[in-house]
Amino acid sequence: MTGVFFAGYPLDRASAKRSDVGFLAAAQVDPDARLLLLQGGKPFVAAPNGPRGPREIAWLSAGAAPSLAGTDATVLFLGLDAASAPHFAVEAPKDRDLAGDDGLLAGLGDFEELRGIGPMLTASDAALIGAAKAVVDWHARHGFCAVCGAKTEPASAGWKRTCPDCGAEHFPRVDPVAIMLPVKGERCLLGRQGRFPKGMYSALAGFVEPGETIAEACAREIAEEVGLTVIASRLVADQPWPFPSQLMIGLIAEVMDEAVTLDPEEIEETIWITREEARSLIHGPIEKGGARIWSPPPMAIAHTLLKAWAEG
Amino acid sequence: MTGVFFAGYPLDRASAKRSDVGFLAAAQVDPDARLLLLQGGKPFVAAPNGPRGPREIAWLSAGAAPSLAGTDATVLFLGLDAASAPHFAVEAPKDRDLAGDDGLLAGLGDFEELRGIGPMLTASDAALIGAAKAVVDWHARHGFCAVCGAKTEPASAGWKRTCPDCGAEHFPRVDPVAIMLPVKGERCLLGRQGRFPKGMYSALAGFVEPGETIAEACAREIAEEVGLTVIASRLVADQPWPFPSQLMIGLIAEVMDEAVTLDPEEIEETIWITREEARSLIHGPIEKGGARIWSPPPMAIAHTLLKAWAEG
């Protein structure tokens, strides 16, 4: 499997420690313990070389979590680094001005959209922010018990929620998605959804449903979206994708013919490109049929798939 | 990828039809429309050659759904067969005596546990029951909105729930799980959990967490459960597993050494077996160190993994 963005989590998740109350209490006030702060899902990052330069997590002291995010905030245990320093993440309430001129963190960094700064992060910072953002988003959308409707409570250092009424346990959700490049000989198919920016074409994708293998989901989505029949498919790479929390499973799928029948609800337009065009497209926009077309950046597994196919 | 049990869904899911109210209303009273009935998650099946023989879905008429399961029951659209006959599934309330001597369905079949009858089903019936059971179980545990706590309503022919209060949409959950066989040269490691039947050993497994690739989850679980370091892993097969709704992703993982350190919370005991022992074990119990040991049946992907490794 090929390397992908958002992979390469640099910490030991030390999941056995998540239920160790004594360890967690000590770890949160450990002077070496570091805190990743988020607000509205945006990580708090620094730009040491100015606004066009690389970003890095602006680590804070874990002991500051209550004053930054409130004493009720769920402090998520991210794990231990090689020196056994504990790392945490916490989401600050949206209405607090923390990074502004009068804020507690003025001058130390900014809250920035992960999608925007992705390419400016190191791989390990991207993996940490991705994991933290996915779990923080999940808490924000899972305050109530799906079984009985009661308010739930965070547990296991942020890796679980429990229902005090019915006893149900709820774990952060990860949705498996099949994402695939249909290919026929020396050509591959890209598609665009109506919501994509102008000129952007990507791989096809859809959620794996109950009762499906990955290859079955791949074949179904290709049949539904573009009306093509898959002969064979192979897994190329997989990627955790924190928008909000998918496991993207990337395939290259050989299809029977090239006559596309679009589902206009899903795909606005498709385009067959040659392997040579794909080799150009992974480096930037190309001209095709009088239009300028481009494909997702290296951060996205669609890029990994296109590159894997283009390079043979 | 190798063939697995619960794969091979025989219908066109025709997911665009799920929101087509006119189609669904007509389909449910179509004389050719067939209904898979479940009760407490157990499918209604027939045993045409007696209780030790094969089982098959005892298909009912879709028009009977309201009288069997109540007019409020969620009727799940399973898809269309090659002759375009619509197929549905519905869960009957637990307190109705349907298959008993005085029941509406007396003599037509019985509600039986899927785990028990799995090996007696055809592949396509197993795939249908697995998908239906996973979605029916999901409805049973998701009557309330995780976002706001209000009661939710089924939509999209049973493939969605919506919240009338906050507007949130909820989709059936599929949890990706990494399941893996650690191997070192000509030996592989099996483990047993305390809850396993006596003598049973299987592959190791754990949920993929937010921020992890499949290979990262595989390496983490092996490190956590048995203290071994993974050098390389490869995907062998994946399987939809309807207990309640996992996507099992099976790997063979080469580990650095054989010195196991158990996490007793997860694994009670491990055993290294040779490739020759594995070849025997896939056909039935073996004697090893004075004890009789056995491994999961062909229905489970653990068997697929063991067989793939045993046969080289």
Side-chain angles (χ1 to χ4, degrees):
Chain A
M1 305 287 261
T2 317
V4 291
F5 208 71
F6 295 121
Y9 195 80
L11 304 177
D12 172 1
R13 291 183 181 230
S15 61
K17 302 284 191 200
R18 293 173 188 168
S19 48
D20 183 338
V21 179
F23 163 82
L24 291 168
Q28 285 184 45
V29 294
D30 181 334
D32 292 331
R34 307 171 88 189
L35 181 73
L36 163 60
L37 186 67
L38 300 104
Q39 192 174 40
K42 298 177 187 176
F44 187 62
V45 293
N49 301 323
R52 299 177 70 88
R55 297 296 192 281
E56 57 188 36
I57 297 174
W59 289 106
L60 304 169
S61 165
S67 54
L68 292 167
T71 51
D72 286 348
T74 303
V75 181
L76 176 71
F77 177 55
L78 295 175
L80 302 171
D81 69 12
S84 290
H87 287 56
F88 294 92
V90 75
E91 164 88 359
K94 282 183 192 161
D95 55 5
R96 288 199 181 191
D97 179 20
L98 292 166
D101 289 345
D102 299 326
L104 274 172
L105 304 174
L108 296 178
D110 281 296
F111 294 101
E112 297 197 53
E113 278 289 357
L114 179 54
R115 272 186 199 270
I117 60 165
M120 294 183 272
L121 291 168
T122 63
S124 62
D125 273 10
L128 281 167
I129 294 170
K133 176 176 151 51
V135 180
V136 155
D137 280 356
W138 174 78
H139 281 289
R141 289 174 296 114
H142 290 78
F144 295 84
C145 179
V147 180
C148 77
K151 273 198 174 178
T152 54
E153 293 164 356
S156 292
W159 289 93
K160 184 163 94 174
R161 298 188 71 89
T162 55
C163 177
D165 272 26
C166 77
E169 296 188 314
H170 303 279
F171 295 90
R173 180 165 172 153
V174 174
D175 291 307
V177 167
I179 177 164
M180 50 270 161
L181 203 59
V183 303
K184 167 86 177 136
E186 288 300 299
R187 303 215 295 163
C188 82
L189 186 75
L190 298 175
R192 55 172 281 112
Q193 299 174 25
R195 64 180 180 82
F196 282 4
K198 186 166 184 298
M200 190 180 103
Y201 287 78
S202 187
L204 308 178
F207 290 100
V208 178
E209 295 195 341
E212 277 184 332
T213 62
I214 298 163
E216 286 174 333
C218 164
R220 176 182 55 76
E221 289 286 347
I222 288 178
E224 285 176 4
E225 295 190 351
V226 296
L228 296 173
T229 303
V230 172
I231 300 166
S233 61
R234 67 182 173 90
L235 283 166
V236 174
D238 63 284
Q239 175 186 41
W241 187 246
F243 306 103
S245 184
Q246 284 89 269
L247 175 66
M248 308 299 285
I249 306 173
L251 305 98
I252 291 177
E254 196 191 334
V255 294
M256 198 130 61
D257 55 54
E258 296 191 1
V260 164
T261 309
L262 285 188
D263 173 0
E265 299 271 306
E266 299 275 354
I267 300 290
E268 185 182 88
E269 208 181 340
T270 58
I271 191 167
W272 284 100
I273 64 169
T274 66
R275 210 182 284 259
E276 200 184 322
E277 287 167 334
R279 273 192 289 265
S280 301
L281 199 53
I282 55 180
H283 298 295
I286 63 171
E287 298 293 326
K288 170 99 182 166
R292 193 159 178 270
I293 73 163
W294 52 286
S295 63
M299 191 167 96
I301 195 172
H303 180 95
T304 311
L305 287 173
L306 193 61
K307 189 163 186 277
W309 181 74
E311 294 175 351
Chain B
M1 306 289 263
T2 316
V4 292
F5 208 71
F6 295 120
Y9 195 80
L11 304 177
D12 172 2
R13 292 183 180 230
S15 61
K17 302 284 191 201
R18 293 174 187 167
S19 48
D20 183 339
V21 179
F23 163 83
L24 291 167
Q28 286 184 46
V29 294
D30 181 333
D32 291 332
R34 308 172 86 191
L35 182 73
L36 162 61
L37 187 66
L38 299 103
Q39 192 174 40
K42 298 178 186 175
F44 187 62
V45 293
N49 300 322
R52 299 176 70 87
R55 295 296 191 281
E56 57 189 36
I57 296 174
W59 289 107
L60 303 169
S61 165
S67 53
L68 292 167
T71 50
D72 286 348
T74 303
V75 182
L76 177 70
F77 177 55
L78 296 174
L80 302 171
D81 69 12
S84 290
H87 287 57
F88 294 92
V90 75
E91 164 89 357
K94 282 184 192 160
D95 55 6
R96 289 201 180 190
D97 179 18
L98 291 166
D101 289 345
D102 299 326
L104 275 173
L105 303 174
L108 296 179
D110 282 295
F111 294 101
E112 299 197 54
E113 278 289 357
L114 179 55
R115 270 185 200 270
I117 61 165
M120 295 182 273
L121 291 169
T122 62
S124 61
D125 273 10
L128 281 166
I129 294 170
K133 177 177 151 51
V135 180
V136 154
D137 280 357
W138 174 78
H139 281 289
R141 290 175 294 113
H142 290 78
F144 294 85
C145 179
V147 180
C148 77
K151 274 200 174 176
T152 54
E153 293 164 356
S156 293
W159 289 93
K160 183 163 95 173
R161 297 189 72 89
T162 54
C163 177
D165 272 26
C166 76
E169 297 189 314
H170 303 280
F171 295 91
R173 181 166 170 151
V174 173
D175 291 307
V177 167
I179 176 165
M180 51 267 162
L181 203 58
V183 303
K184 166 85 177 136
E186 287 301 299
R187 306 216 293 165
C188 82
L189 186 75
L190 298 175
R192 55 171 282 111
Q193 299 175 24
R195 64 178 180 81
F196 282 4
K198 188 169 184 299
M200 190 179 103
Y201 288 78
S202 186
L204 308 178
F207 290 99
V208 177
E209 294 194 341
E212 276 184 333
T213 62
I214 299 163
E216 286 175 332
C218 164
R220 176 181 55 76
E221 288 287 346
I222 289 179
E224 285 176 5
E225 295 190 351
V226 297
L228 296 174
T229 302
V230 172
I231 300 165
S233 60
R234 68 182 171 90
L235 283 167
V236 173
D238 64 284
Q239 175 186 41
W241 186 246
F243 307 103
S245 184
Q246 284 89 268
L247 175 67
M248 308 298 285
I249 306 172
L251 305 99
I252 292 178
E254 195 191 335
V255 294
M256 198 130 62
D257 55 53
E258 295 192 2
V260 164
T261 309
L262 284 188
D263 173 0
E265 300 271 307
E266 298 276 352
I267 300 290
E268 186 182 88
E269 209 182 338
T270 58
I271 190 168
W272 284 100
I273 64 169
T274 66
R275 210 182 285 258
E276 201 183 320
E277 287 167 334
R279 273 192 289 265
S280 300
L281 199 53
I282 56 179
H283 298 294
I286 63 171
E287 299 293 326
K288 170 97 182 167
R292 191 161 180 270
I293 73 162
W294 53 286
S295 63
M299 191 166 95
I301 196 172
H303 180 95
T304 312
L305 288 174
L306 193 61
K307 188 162 186 278
W309 181 74
E311 295 175 351

